[in-house]
Amino acid sequence: QVKLVESGGGLVQPGGSLRLSCAPSGGISNSYTMGWFRQAPGKEREFVAAYRRSGSGTWYADSVKGRFTISRDAARSTMYLQMTTLKPEDTAVYYCAWTNSRLINSRVGAGEAYDYWGQGTQVSVSS
């Protein structure tokens, strides 16, 4: 069982920055894949970014490419999502997701491929 604790959300003006954190605990493998997803009011959950430790790689949704960066603290396996140049359309509840599996490239953006989810953290971008 993996537990995920998220932090770092808040209210920011357009053009501002925020950094989200996702700290896992429990039975973590060395072949995990970790993702960030978001859900805005009245919309479906959408993929934001992912990191795969085994055969490491990162993936980003087109809407955030060049503005968001996923990274990790290797010592603690904590994952971060650095968000810059935020826009009002980035407003959503952000969730980190985790699987101890090495997801293939075509599956890293699929929410159903992840086994564990954080509680979500609200990001609001408004002037």
Side-chain angles (χ1 to χ4, degrees):
Q1 191 79 4
V2 176
K3 182 180 179 182
L4 304 173
V5 178
E6 301 171 33
S7 60
L11 173 64
V12 64
Q13 292 186 340
S17 300
L18 280 175
R19 190 178 76 161
L20 306 183
S21 300
C22 178
S25 61
I28 302 168
S29 77
N30 289 325
S31 301
Y32 64 82
T33 307
M34 183 272 176
W36 287 99
F37 292 78
R38 66 186 182 186
Q39 187 166 21
K43 294 188 177 181
E44 294 188 352
R45 181 181 63 196
E46 65 174 354
F47 168 73
V48 175
Y51 167 81
R52 185 178 65 200
R53 187 178 188 279
S54 178
S56 63
T58 56
W59 292 261
Y60 297 94
D62 288 344
S63 59
V64 307
K65 206 170 288 184
R67 300 189 298 122
F68 291 11
T69 304
I70 192 170
S71 63
R72 71 184 184 115
D73 176 338
R76 292 179 287 181
S77 295
T78 298
M79 302 297 297
Y80 303 98
L81 184 69
Q82 180 68 48
M83 305 184 294
T84 64
T85 319
L86 282 161
K87 305 175 182 180
E89 51 264 42
D90 294 318
T91 295
V93 177
Y94 283 70
Y95 299 91
C96 65
W98 190 281
T99 177
N100 279 327
S101 302
R102 180 188 184 281
L103 295 180
I104 60 175
N105 294 7
S106 62
R107 294 287 289 166
V108 297
E112 64 270 20
Y114 293 83
D115 301 308
Y116 305 100
W117 291 81
Q119 79 280 7
T121 186
Q122 177 71 45
V123 171
S124 299
V125 184
S126 174
S127 55

